[in-house]
Amino acid sequence: MARVVHAIQCIVCPIGCGGEVTVEDGTVTTLTGFTCNKGLAYAAKEVVSPKRMVTTTVRVSGGGLPLLPVVSVAPVPKDRIFDCLNLLRGVSVMAPIAEGEIVVADALGLGVDFRAARDISVVQ
Ligand code: SF4
């Protein structure tokens, strides 16, 4: 039986509880040190399939700014974050852009859209 104990710092809220997650044969068996259910859920996922929200920018033309901030609508698997950034590096959009507008749908087939994080108006 393979047993691994991971030290995890919860990042769900600013308290930053530290704890341990024990994984035996790929299954989480015990969690200690996390003081709420959100932290327990985060820690269990963090050792098996860690994910993060992704924020970056894409090029925009015709607007008052050269770059549009974009954000994933859901967390992305950590091992695919750089693939998403590479995809978004090649994306260019035209103003006007409305906050919340989908910039890339279903990025890399991960089921995660990237949306505009602000408005950008057309500049004459
Ligand atoms: S375990 Fe709960 S209280 Fe502790 S850092 Fe995580 S979310 Fe905050």
Side-chain angles (χ1 to χ4, degrees), residues 4 7 20 23 42 48 58-60 84-85 95 100 112 114 119-120:
V4 181
E20 290 186 342
V23 178
Y42 165 79
V48 177
V58 299
R59 290 183 193 85
V60 58
C84 287
L85 294 176
V112 177
F114 281 81
D119 298 335
I120 294 188

Side-chain angles (χ1 to χ4, degrees), residues 9-18 33-40 42:
Q9 178 101 33
C10 182
I11 60 171
V12 174
C13 87
I15 295 172
C17 298
F34 305 100
T35 57
C36 74
N37 287 336
K38 285 183 180 178
L40 290 167
Y42 165 79

Side-chain angles (χ1 to χ4, degrees), residues 24-103:
E24 296 179 34
D25 292 333
T27 301
V28 174
T29 54
T30 59
L31 298 105
T32 59
F34 305 100
T35 57
C36 74
N37 287 336
K38 285 183 180 178
L40 290 167
Y42 165 79
K45 282 186 184 165
E46 182 66 8
V47 298
V48 177
S49 60
K51 295 182 178 182
R52 295 289 185 274
M53 297 296 286
V54 176
T55 61
T56 185
T57 56
V58 299
R59 290 183 193 85
V60 58
S61 52
L65 295 170
L67 296 172
L68 168 71
V70 297
V71 61
S72 61
V73 298
V76 170
K78 275 180 82 174
D79 62 354
R80 301 302 307 274
I81 289 174
F82 284 104
D83 295 333
C84 287
L85 294 176
N86 284 332
L87 170 71
L88 290 158
R89 187 176 298 130
V91 171
S92 181
V93 296
M94 290 285 295
I97 301 290
E99 180 179 349
E101 193 173 314
I102 294 176
V103 174

